Amino acid sequence: MAWQEAELGVVFHYDLHVFDGVKYGQGNNRIDPVEDYQIFNPEKLDTDQWVKAAKDAGAKFAILTATHETGFALFQSKVNPYSVKALNWKDGKGDVVADFVASCRKYGIKPGIYLGIRWNSFLGVHDFKVNGEGDFKKNRQEWYNRMVEGMVKEICTNYGELFEIWFDGGADHPKNGARTFCPL
């Protein structure tokens, strides 16, 4: 009900590809890792401007892609090493999600987070499944599943109340090797 009553929301898609100068192509972005993640250097990042524009347009909520097909996390993750922690930008201390959530609260917009877990070109994850064979694949899949659970916990506990968490493509079924987040 709350989502329907909000009536209008916006999605801010922000990822490494904003900086690579290459036309976005979903097929190759899901497969080819970004060669140099240090290209992420938003010198003029202004999440207040984003959120104020959404507010002025009549939006009641805003969603930020915290991770997308590259697997790169726009927040300070302890479980995902491929995150803003690894950047030269702000000496690895930047947190786009924290800035975004603070801007949402400043302008009275309900913050939401989009977590893309279905694809991760950096780690070779395609449609929730890691590349590889045998025990190597099994161990990598377990590690990836634990990392995803950890990122969900970080998002749910480090940024206060969130209006929505949007899982790109949903989540895989336990019969396919995915973990059960909550009892069915």
Side-chain angles (χ1 to χ4, degrees):
M1 265 321 263
W3 188 81
Q4 287 181 323
E5 289 171 357
E7 293 184 7
L8 180 65
V10 298
V11 176
F12 294 104
H13 188 291
Y14 206 58
D15 196 5
L16 292 173
H17 292 294
V18 170
F19 301 93
D20 67 7
V22 177
K23 182 179 178 185
Y24 179 77
Q26 191 172 55
N28 60 310
N29 286 352
R30 290 178 173 174
I31 298 168
D32 302 328
V34 172
E35 287 186 31
D36 180 11
Y37 57 87
Q38 293 298 341
I39 63 172
F40 188 90
N41 187 19
E43 295 174 0
K44 297 179 183 179
L45 180 66
D46 186 353
T47 56
D48 277 358
Q49 185 271 329
W50 300 354
V51 174
K52 184 177 181 320
K55 176 84 170 184
D56 291 348
K60 302 285 191 306
F61 68 94
I63 298 170
L64 174 67
T65 53
T67 61
H68 200 242
E69 294 164 345
T70 64
F72 188 77
L74 298 178
F75 59 97
Q76 291 287 315
S77 179
K78 292 180 180 174
V79 297
N80 182 355
Y82 193 51
S83 71
V84 291
K85 268 183 146 175
L87 294 175
N88 295 331
W89 177 66
K90 292 193 174 187
D91 295 322
K93 298 195 180 353
D95 191 325
V96 180
V97 170
D99 294 345
F100 169 77
V101 169
S103 294
C104 285
R105 294 209 168 95
K106 177 179 179 179
Y107 289 99
I109 295 281
K110 296 174 183 175
I113 298 298
Y114 171 114
L115 281 173
I117 59 173
R118 186 175 184 175
W119 310 97
N120 184 316
S121 62
F122 183 73
L123 295 174
V125 176
H126 308 285
D127 204 16
F128 301 110
K129 294 167 188 61
V130 301
N131 290 341
E133 295 180 18
D135 285 343
F136 176 73
K137 179 178 182 166
K138 181 182 174 199
N139 292 337
R140 287 186 71 232
Q141 188 70 58
E142 268 300 306
W143 181 86
Y144 184 71
N145 292 349
R146 283 192 310 273
M147 184 188 81
V148 167
E149 286 178 344
M151 288 192 308
V152 171
K153 183 177 180 181
E154 288 172 337
I155 289 295
C156 290
T157 59
N158 294 344
Y159 299 98
E161 185 176 339
L162 298 169
F163 179 67
E164 179 174 353
I165 297 178
W166 176 355
F167 292 98
D168 180 20
D172 203 9
H173 195 278
K175 74 177 183 182
N176 294 328
R179 292 179 115 138
T180 304
F181 290 108
C182 59
L184 300 175

